[in-house]
Amino acid sequence: MNKIIVILGPTAVGKTKMSVELAKKLNGEIINADSTQVFKELDIATAKITEEEKENIVHHLFDIKDITSSYTVYDYQKDCRKCIDDIISRGKTPI
């Protein structure tokens, strides 16, 4: 059985740091679930993770759309499922 780790909670409680630490310990990759962080132009307003904070952990679904693009929940579900399948196929843990 494949496992997917989900981290959720309110803003500014350390979800990003926890996800990176888990990814390091569990051979994982992180999939963004923040609806605004998919957009390239919203770095400051969304407290998007920096390259330094990523600590060489692969992150998915960040900065994938222009702010003028449409991106629905359906689009996110399709993209997220592809990421999950890809991560698992490489023997890693989706977070």
Side-chain angles (χ1 to χ4, degrees):
M1 176 181 207
N2 296 316
K3 294 181 182 178
I4 300 169
I5 297 172
V6 177
I7 301 170
L8 59 112
T11 301
V13 295
K15 295 181 302 288
T16 298
K17 180 73 171 159
M18 176 187 266
S19 67
V20 170
E21 292 303 316
L22 281 173
K24 290 191 294 189
K25 291 180 195 263
L26 301 175
N27 191 29
E29 294 183 11
I30 298 167
I31 304 170
N32 171 44
D34 185 304
S35 63
T36 57
Q37 292 186 7
V38 298
F39 296 103
K40 295 176 189 172
E41 294 85 4
L42 296 177
D43 294 348
I44 295 171
T46 61
K48 198 175 293 175
I49 190 170
T50 65
E51 289 301 316
E52 183 178 317
E53 291 170 325
K54 289 180 183 178
E55 297 187 37
N56 296 316
I57 300 297
V58 177
H59 284 66
H60 301 270
L61 302 183
F62 285 91
D63 294 333
I64 61 170
K65 293 291 177 184
D66 291 323
I67 191 69
T68 58
S69 298
S70 174
Y71 193 68
T72 66
V73 171
Y74 176 71
D75 296 325
Y76 174 79
Q77 287 179 348
K78 288 191 312 184
D79 291 343
C80 186
R81 289 170 200 256
K82 286 179 190 174
C83 288
I84 290 168
D85 290 343
D86 176 57
I87 293 166
I88 290 171
S89 76
R90 292 182 283 108
K92 295 191 168 218
T93 303
I95 301 171

